[in-house]
Amino acid sequence: MTKSYEAIPLTPISSEPSTINKTGLWRVFYPVVDLEKCKKCTLCWKFCPDATIELVDGIPVIDLEFCKGCGICANECPAKCIVMVKEGEG
Amino acid sequence: MALTPRTTIPEEEYAYPGSTGCPGCGANLVMRYLLKGLGDRTIVTIPACCWAVMPGYWPSHCLKIPMVYCAFEATAASLSGIRAALDVRGETDVTVVGFAGDGGTVDIGLQALSGAAERQTDAIYVMYDNEAYMNTGIQRSGSTPWGAWTTTTPVGDAKGFKREPKKDIMRIMEAHDVPYAATVSVGHPEDFVKKVRKAKEVSGFRFIHAYSPCPPGWRMNPMKTIEVARLAVDSRIFPLYEIVNGDLTITRKGKGVPVSEYLSLQGRFAHLSEEDIAKIQIGVDEAFAAMEKRAATKN
């Protein structure tokens, strides 16, 4: 009998990952990371609801194509190295 | 990607970016942490709730594991069916998860949930609790706390905010003698992942009550999601505990900050008077004292 788990579609009638939805377009404020102040604590990565932060040697790299600009990373950063800047400014 | 030593939860992601969750969504984090704990070879079944629309418009999907849609009241029936089908095929290693909101659990899905718990179906049921029917426009649910504004408990001259206390789903589940039941919060991801892993090792029906702040529904700044979740634990409004075979253990006691600190961050409580807040404080203190007393006397 064939294994069924592998045969189950990820979601019925879907074919593309949600990365086709560029949710960065929703953003009003965008995060700016001061890499000199970053303590590599990875808290911003841990609390990002959309998993848009990638860790490169512990340093956060935020994917602005998908970041919705909620600001959780800026609020939680213990080193206060992330600030939210209004789109079109800064 | 190399594992950096400082990450306190697994680095593997099972969700794609680009979901249609609101900015600062707690439910997105609940799914993210849940799947980090469960890992691959998991199926989630989801009724009508915020998560049913998260994958976005056709043709997109946002999880790397299968996600099945079911009717609003049928989460626990659906997970029972999936479990039975997998067992017939000998695929007992796959974890089946029912993932429903608070309305789909404490109101609409309660009879199916009760049935699956009574049959001790080998599955995990996760209720992400944003304390109202958020997806349809913030209508009150059985899980909405006393004093909260919603669109169906409006505030105005009539002072019609919610007058009934929050339904205690954990006590309902305990009455079914489930082998494992726990509360988790997005403000404490390490505790969250630890409990999910523990639940995975238990066989029988397991219940997880996940605290999931909703910035639009709670009328708060999206950047405060984690802060509010942490304050809920610290103010003991949402204590973190687990019940293993009837034994209750408080896993995070909280600092005991006044509930007003938690309430003041949310617009849905902005109308409450000082007497109302004092009433909430007394209720929270009594409930927590009773819980501590119970935790001290294990069966």
Side-chain angles (χ1 to χ4, degrees):
Chain A
M1 200 186 286
T2 53
K3 286 274 183 184
S4 54
Y5 181 78
E6 283 72 19
I8 299 172
L10 292 180
T11 300
I13 65 162
S14 71
S15 55
E16 308 289 332
S18 56
T19 45
I20 58 169
N21 307 321
K22 307 297 181 203
T23 46
L25 295 168
W26 302 6
R27 203 170 47 236
V28 180
F29 295 91
Y30 67 97
V32 179
V33 188
D34 183 346
L35 293 178
E36 281 184 14
K37 276 159 80 182
C38 177
K39 300 262 196 298
K40 301 188 186 182
C41 70
T42 73
L43 272 178
C44 53
W45 165 82
K46 192 162 71 180
F47 290 125
C48 178
D50 292 282
T52 62
I53 301 178
E54 200 184 335
L55 295 174
V56 180
D57 296 328
I59 286 175
V61 178
I62 302 174
D63 191 342
L64 290 178
E65 210 172 13
F66 300 106
C67 166
K68 294 168 184 164
C70 67
I72 289 178
C73 51
N75 196 58
E76 297 309 315
C77 178
K80 297 284 163 228
C81 73
I82 305 179
V83 285
M84 300 304 288
V85 181
K86 199 167 185 182
E87 287 287 335
E89 291 173 16
Chain B
M1 194 168 57
L3 192 79
T4 41
R6 282 193 184 179
T7 56
T8 48
I9 54 172
E11 211 162 322
E12 183 76 29
E13 297 290 350
Y14 295 93
Y16 293 104
S19 81
T20 55
C22 305
C25 178
N28 253 338
L29 282 169
V30 173
M31 183 63 96
R32 195 173 161 228
Y33 299 149
L34 174 76
L35 294 179
K36 276 178 190 289
L38 293 177
D40 203 7
R41 295 194 76 72
T42 301
I43 295 179
V44 263
T45 177
I46 294 180
C49 61
C50 289
W51 250 96
V53 295
M54 290 286 197
Y57 311 109
W58 181 85
S60 68
H61 56 80
C62 68
L63 293 183
K64 297 176 186 175
I65 51 120
M67 172 173 157
V68 182
Y69 289 102
C70 65
F72 211 155
E73 70 285 7
T75 318
S78 171
L79 69 81
S80 303
I82 295 169
R83 178 78 273 162
L86 288 167
D87 286 351
V88 164
R89 285 174 161 266
E91 292 173 69
T92 46
D93 61 321
V94 177
T95 310
V96 182
V97 179
F99 194 85
D102 54 292
T105 303
V106 305
D107 298 339
I108 297 173
L110 193 57
Q111 64 85 16
L113 174 63
S114 176
E118 183 266 323
R119 292 189 300 272
Q120 291 296 339
T121 303
D122 190 19
I124 301 176
Y125 192 107
V126 180
M127 156 176 153
Y128 65 98
D129 189 3
N130 46 31
E131 304 191 325
Y133 290 87
M134 294 311 183
N135 186 34
T136 47
I138 323 167
Q139 290 86 5
R140 92 189 262 292
S141 78
S143 197
T144 307
W146 185 92
W149 162 92
T150 64
T151 52
T152 47
T153 51
V155 176
D157 296 337
K159 293 260 178 190
F161 60 77
K162 195 184 172 195
R163 296 288 182 179
E164 300 80 26
K166 185 183 172 92
K167 197 190 279 190
D168 192 346
I169 189 69
M170 288 297 280
R171 265 162 64 201
I172 298 174
M173 293 320 294
E174 225 198 312
H176 289 79
D177 284 336
V178 293
Y180 188 83
T183 61
V184 294
S185 166
V186 296
H188 296 85
E190 293 81 12
D191 177 80
F192 194 130
V193 172
K194 200 173 146 194
K195 281 175 179 162
V196 167
R197 282 181 170 158
K198 202 166 173 180
K200 193 184 175 182
E201 300 307 316
V202 177
S203 64
F205 196 80
R206 294 143 276 169
F207 187 82
I208 290 174
H209 181 179
Y211 186 81
S212 169
C214 171
W218 294 8
R219 293 288 183 258
M220 64 179 201
N221 188 331
M223 67 166 25
K224 300 285 181 190
T225 292
I226 302 299
E227 201 177 319
V228 161
R230 233 187 263 125
L231 276 172
V233 174
D234 278 343
S235 66
R236 293 160 179 174
I237 277 193
F238 190 85
L240 294 181
Y241 59 98
E242 60 184 6
I243 304 171
V244 186
N245 296 321
D247 279 345
L248 186 145
T249 312
I250 301 173
T251 54
R252 200 63 68 137
K253 282 211 182 337
K255 292 174 194 147
V257 300
V259 292
S260 55
E261 276 188 41
Y262 164 80
L263 301 172
S264 64
L265 283 175
Q266 303 166 55
R268 63 176 175 154
F269 295 117
H271 54 275
L272 293 181
S273 65
E274 276 184 23
E275 293 85 71
D276 293 335
I277 292 171
K279 191 179 161 185
I280 294 174
Q281 183 72 60
I282 290 167
V284 166
D285 290 346
E286 280 176 358
F288 192 75
M291 189 178 285
E292 276 194 313
K293 202 173 160 191
R294 190 185 149 187
T297 53
K298 285 185 180 158
N299 314 334

